[in-house]
Amino acid sequence: MDSAEFRRHGYALVEWIADYLADAERYPVLPRVEPGDVRRALPAEAPEQGELFETIIADFDRVLVPALTHWNHPGFFGYFAITASAPGVLAEFLAAALNQQAMLWRTSPAATELEEVSLGWLRSLMGLPDAFEGVIYDTASISTLHALAAAREAAVPGVRELGLAGRPDVGALRVYCSEHAHSSVDKAVILLGLGHHALRKIPADDQFRMQATALGEAIKADRAAGILPLAVVATVGTTSTTSIDPVRETADICRREGLWLHVDAAYAGVTAMVPEYRSRFDGWEEADSIVVNPHKWLFTPFDLSAFYCRRMDVVRQAFSLVPDYLATAEGARGVRNLMDTGIQLGRRFRSLKLWMVLRHFGAEGIRAAIVEHIRLAQLFGRWIDEDSRFERMAPTPFSVVCFRASPEPGLTDAELDVFNERLLDAVNATGEVFLSHTRLNGAFVLRLAIGHLRTTEQHVGRAWELLKEHLDGARVRGARVR
Ligand code: PLP
């Protein structure tokens, strides 16, 4: 593709993207496709001859666009709602063109040092001490994996050289988290060779927070049984309800017991930028490591996970391995080579989008957007509370509301589950909004998550109207559960 052609297609794509970002509402949030539709619409083999870019784009419009789930739609209220903001999109465009591979300082001084600068800015905005060194990974799952790998490195002598298998000197190991922690913790212990049984899930209280007393007791019982506790994962902003584990108490236990504390603040961490919300993070500054995902609630296009660690030397001890062909003179002089702080060798220029997003919005702009999202969630929560046909199923500390319809007294739990599942399907089928679900204490629960920059009170109001309309509609059509 020569430069003239690149310009022509590039300008056309910028037009397409600008329209898309301005008005994703022209599309249904969830696509109306069946499994296999996309695969069947495309040839089974790659073309032998190159094709015109016009033809490729025509197929993008015809086949792929109708099968997109529109995370950039302001009616997207599922999982954790996110935003690929315009400055972030432009940064990704540039990053692709520059194709930096920041494994070594030498292979991209700019990407290496910008990562340090932008993570330093974010750390300071969230009020974390400078002792936390940062590194960018793709996702929180990978950040948590690195945290627990470092915990294993710190606690099990010689694990890097000898591994775990066939060692009579290493008994059973244990990692602790709340029953509401994200499944990435499970995956990490599995991958680290600890075995899934090494993860002990601590019961939560009636507000879905890990019970610190139960944690302390579990550690004590394990030690008495000859099991070696390694680490605790506490969550600020759990996946289902955004509940907040007691981080301060957990940190005290970890210090007393000599355990690695990893704080999963993947979703909620950015709210520490807002002074009124800072107290929710009390004690996280005592952690050994923390994960915060700018791709969740910091308007940064997927993917970018910020991993902060007080003991990055342990991460390096676990992961640094420099073959001859990657040894550099600057390395010997002490520059940071990002390949040393993780499993990946090659690394994308992810810091560019974080830097551009932070500069474009400024701390004030980001705080204002976060505060507005929380306001909208609290408003929706009040509508739920004030309508006797609905009930709130969990507290709303951030921007996610957990609720269900309870259209008449006397329905069984099973009937309520079926009713709510139908209601969710009906509302999502409108294409105007998308809400997701979870299960709490066995009950099917709807979740409305706010996090898109273009989501306004009008969108949240529309979601509320649709829920009520379909509740009534279901009654009139006699489609109720009984
Ligand atoms: N931690 C929490 C609290 C989450 O809610 C999620 C996903 O939503 C994750 C970790 C995993 O995030 P990622 O997709 O970045 O791996």
Side-chain angles (χ1 to χ4, degrees):
M1 188 182 285
D2 66 21
S3 148
E5 206 188 336
F6 180 83
R7 275 173 218 277
R8 189 159 57 80
H9 295 305
Y11 291 142
L13 276 190
V14 168
E15 292 290 338
W16 191 96
I17 293 169
D19 288 343
Y20 179 67
L21 293 181
D23 182 24
E25 285 174 79
R26 77 188 74 174
Y27 303 105
V29 192
L30 283 184
R32 297 185 170 124
V33 287
E34 292 300 323
D37 281 358
V38 173
R39 213 176 48 241
R40 277 190 295 275
L42 295 172
E45 305 289 341
E48 197 61 39
Q49 309 296 325
E51 298 181 73
L52 289 176
F53 202 69
E54 283 87 343
T55 315
I56 304 169
I57 286 292
D59 280 351
F60 166 76
D61 282 330
R62 181 179 62 85
V63 181
L64 298 185
V65 172
L68 293 171
T69 297
H70 292 284
W71 291 72
N72 246 351
H73 190 300
F76 188 106
F77 296 116
Y79 313 110
F80 285 127
I82 57 177
T83 313
S85 65
V89 171
L90 292 174
E92 283 285 53
F93 192 29
L94 257 183
L98 297 169
N99 211 19
Q100 296 296 280
Q101 213 280 49
M103 55 189 179
L104 296 167
W105 179 86
R106 176 176 290 191
T107 60
S108 185
T112 302
E113 295 190 15
L114 191 67
E115 185 153 328
E116 195 173 337
V117 170
S118 54
L119 288 180
W121 287 2
L122 181 60
R123 176 183 60 221
S124 163
L125 287 169
M126 296 187 301
L128 284 171
D130 291 352
F132 282 97
E133 185 179 336
V135 64
I136 294 176
Y137 300 129
D138 51 2
T139 56
S141 303
I142 298 300
S143 293
T144 295
L145 173 67
H146 283 84
L148 294 181
R152 188 186 65 163
E153 178 71 24
V156 183
V159 68
R160 176 173 163 139
E161 286 72 29
L162 305 173
L164 294 171
R167 287 183 63 181
D169 61 321
V170 181
L173 304 166
R174 194 75 92 201
V175 172
Y176 307 83
C177 65
S178 140
E179 57 178 317
H180 288 280
H182 188 260
S183 52
S184 51
V185 184
D186 301 62
K187 286 195 179 179
V189 299
I190 293 167
L191 189 61
L192 290 168
L194 309 182
H196 205 180
H197 290 171
L199 183 61
R200 187 148 174 178
K201 303 223 170 156
I202 304 298
D205 65 12
D206 60 355
Q207 296 194 25
F208 309 101
R209 303 172 297 200
M210 179 163 68
Q211 296 188 42
T213 320
L215 171 66
E217 284 163 4
I219 294 170
K220 208 164 135 193
D222 281 345
R223 285 208 195 278
I227 295 169
L228 179 66
L230 284 190
V232 180
V233 179
T235 309
V236 180
T238 56
T239 311
S240 280
T241 69
T242 75
S243 60
I244 304 168
D245 287 341
V247 180
R248 169 72 63 196
E249 284 168 87
T250 308
D252 290 346
I253 293 172
C254 287
R255 191 177 333 100
R256 211 168 47 235
E257 297 283 346
L259 306 187
W260 188 285
L261 172 60
H262 176 61
V263 173
D264 180 352
Y267 152 72
V270 294
T271 64
M273 291 174 62
V274 183
E276 304 93 279
Y277 295 105
R278 181 69 61 76
S279 61
R280 291 158 191 224
F281 297 83
D282 181 44
W284 77 329
E285 70 284 355
E286 303 288 328
D288 295 284
S289 56
I290 296 175
V291 56
V292 174
N293 270 3
H295 72 223
K296 280 195 166 42
W297 204 1
L298 194 56
F299 320 124
T300 306
F302 191 77
D303 50 13
L304 197 164
S305 180
F307 178 70
Y308 289 101
C309 188
R310 275 183 179 276
R311 299 168 70 186
M312 205 62 103
D313 53 317
V314 183
V315 177
R316 289 197 176 86
Q317 198 178 300
F319 290 105
S320 179
L321 200 159
V322 186
D324 287 343
Y325 84 104
L326 294 173
T328 59
E330 320 76 76
R333 291 207 312 271
V335 298
R336 286 185 76 196
N337 287 320
L338 293 171
M339 69 172 190
D340 293 336
T341 41
I343 188 69
Q344 279 184 267
L345 174 62
R347 318 178 78 259
R348 293 186 342 100
F349 194 178
R350 290 196 179 88
S351 58
L352 189 62
K353 56 188 170 183
L354 179 58
W355 182 66
M356 289 194 173
V357 164
L358 290 173
R359 291 190 64 177
H360 175 83
F361 292 99
E364 223 177 83
I366 293 166
R367 286 190 202 104
I370 290 171
V371 166
E372 172 63 3
H373 289 160
I374 296 175
R375 184 190 75 81
L376 292 175
Q378 304 303 323
L379 180 66
F380 183 84
R382 278 202 298 281
W383 294 337
I384 294 287
D385 294 343
E386 286 162 9
D387 191 318
S388 61
R389 298 165 303 168
F390 289 86
E391 58 181 324
R392 193 136 30 151
M393 300 298 281
T396 306
F398 298 106
S399 69
V400 174
V401 186
C402 292
F403 65 99
R404 72 174 173 187
S406 188
E408 66 179 69
L411 293 178
T412 66
D413 287 344
E415 286 171 335
L416 281 168
D417 284 357
V418 176
F419 187 90
N420 277 280
E421 226 171 312
R422 282 190 194 164
L423 176 63
L424 182 65
D425 287 346
V427 167
N428 286 344
T430 64
E432 289 186 64
V433 295
F434 168 54
L435 281 70
S436 60
H437 71 276
T438 188
R439 271 193 189 272
L440 296 176
N441 300 322
F444 186 90
V445 169
L446 279 57
R447 282 172 83 263
L448 179 118
I450 299 173
H452 193 273
L453 271 179
R454 290 183 193 272
T455 297
T456 62
E457 191 167 325
Q458 202 183 337
H459 297 104
V460 180
R462 184 67 189 138
W464 179 228
E465 273 168 30
L466 287 171
L467 282 160
K468 287 187 298 185
E469 264 170 37
H470 286 274
L471 190 73
D472 294 341
R475 293 181 151 204
V476 172
R477 287 199 307 275
R480 273 216 333 261
V481 205
R482 284 194 285 183

